[in-house]
Amino acid sequence: MAQLFSRRATTIFRVVLTLTPLAAAAGGGLTYAWLRSDAAWGVGKPAPQPIPFRHDLHAGVLKIDCRYCHTGAERAADAGMPSAQTCMTCHSQIWAGASVLEPLRTALALDTPLRWRSVSRLPDFAYFHHGAHVSKGVTCATCHGRVEEMPKTVKARTLSMGWCLECHRDPGSRLPLHTAVLATAEKKQPSGQAPRAHDTSLLMSCSTCHR
Ligand code: HEC
Ligand code: HEC
Ligand code: HEC
Ligand code: HEC
Ligand code: HEC
């Protein structure tokens, strides 16, 4: 029987057959690496803001407490954003006529909120609660980085699900207060019974963050 394909064609066919899955794997690998990378999550990228507000000046140099402007951070789900009035406690005197503060005066005159852009907003299907974390001793910097050193506010962590779970799997080892809390708890426990600082199964269950 005559050969259907030339020897050369068969070789080309073999090469293509081997290379295609390799190329697909490499492409997939690159896509995977991109999806996992900080850049894909917007880490380090500032958002355009109506006023060039500077944390490094207000929280860093002037040492204004975070909670002065983000009043919900300790107890509520949302940390909250400062109103124009909050800024005006100082800026009705300092830099009062400056053009960079024009949106502030407009917001005040029209009684509308300032439209700050968020760098850390989660998708709507994910639930987060500030108070639950801050009251347990998780610091702002753990999740937001050293904001008081930022001239422009950027995201410091991915805030991805994998990142959340890294801590939820074993929060004890990440909490500054943990050792102190555990030491007190251990004193109250009868010997041989290890206290459970956190219910990890609850922290890992889907419905805790997707409700
Ligand atoms: C407790 C007082 C205080 C509060 C509250 C405050 N500021 Fe300031 N702000 C200052 C001082 C002081 C300066 C520095 C003035 C200087 O260096 O001449 C300043 C400077 C600024 C500047 C100029 C920064 C630069 O480029 O040098 C902007 C813009 C500004 N503030 C915006 C705001 C906004 C927006 C708010 C509200 C979210 C706010 N400030 C709340 C005290 C305050
Ligand atoms: C004088 C008021 C003021 C103080 C004090 C302040 N902030 Fe802010 N913060 C703002 C304003 C205004 C914005 C929105 C503009 C921006 O992102 O820079 C903001 C934005 C943020 C964001 C980004 C929120 C988002 O949705 O992406 C984080 C995180 C944050 N602040 C954390 C902190 C921390 C931590 C401290 C204390 C170290 C602090 N802030 C102190 C006014 C303040
Ligand atoms: C365990 C991590 C974690 C800690 C600790 C934390 N944050 Fe946040 N923060 C987040 C996440 C996640 C978001 C986005 C929430 C969302 O979109 O639902 C956020 C959002 C914010 C915002 C945007 C406005 C808002 O109401 O959501 C501000 C401002 C803020 N955080 C400030 C703070 C300050 C100040 C502290 C410390 C007192 C703090 N955060 C502690 C994770 C954290
Ligand atoms: C550094 C550690 C840490 C990180 C990071 C962290 N968490 Fe938590 N989370 C905790 C601790 C500790 C608790 C409280 C456990 C307790 O009450 O015993 C908690 C509790 C919660 C709760 C339960 C709140 C309630 O209703 O009581 C939710 C929801 C939650 N976390 C969501 C998130 C999400 C979403 C992220 C990521 C954006 C995140 N957490 C990142 C440590 C962390
Ligand atoms: C500690 C909080 C937390 C827990 C627990 C959690 N998630 Fe998430 N999940 C998030 C956050 C935050 C996001 C959004 C950021 C992201 O996509 O990584 C998310 C995103 C997702 C997405 C969308 C992913 C995508 O690529 O868009 C799915 C699907 C999901 N979660 C399913 C689950 C399932 C199933 C479980 C239980 C096995 C679970 N999650 C447990 C916090 C959590």
Side-chain angles (χ1 to χ4, degrees), residues 41 122-123 125-128 133 158-166 168 201-210:
W41 292 94
L122 296 178
F125 56 77
Y127 174 78
F128 182 75
H133 295 86
T158 59
L159 306 182
S160 69
M161 176 166 138
W163 178 83
C164 305
L165 294 180
E166 247 172 64
H168 277 209
S201 67
L202 197 69
L203 286 182
M204 295 300 281
S205 101
C206 315
S207 58
T208 296
C209 303
H210 305 294

Side-chain angles (χ1 to χ4, degrees), residues 109-133:
L110 300 178
D111 196 21
T112 48
L114 286 161
R115 303 215 167 273
W116 302 110
R117 295 232 174 77
S118 176
V119 293
S120 41
R121 183 66 52 216
L122 296 178
D124 284 344
F125 56 77
Y127 174 78
F128 182 75
H129 194 290
H130 272 91
H133 295 86

Side-chain angles (χ1 to χ4, degrees), residues 56-118:
D56 63 344
L57 177 71
H58 292 87
V61 177
L62 299 173
K63 302 220 178 328
I64 310 174
D65 195 291
C66 312
R67 294 162 300 180
Y68 182 80
C69 292
H70 306 298
T71 51
E74 241 171 339
R75 271 177 291 273
D78 285 340
M81 283 303 210
S83 66
Q85 277 89 343
T86 305
C87 310
M88 277 303 186
T89 45
C90 297
H91 287 293
S92 56
Q93 274 108 48
I94 308 160
W95 280 49
S99 57
V100 283
L101 297 181
E102 192 55 54
L104 208 58
R105 292 190 290 271
T106 309
L108 212 58
L110 300 178
D111 196 21
T112 48
L114 286 161
R115 303 215 167 273
W116 302 110
R117 295 232 174 77
S118 176

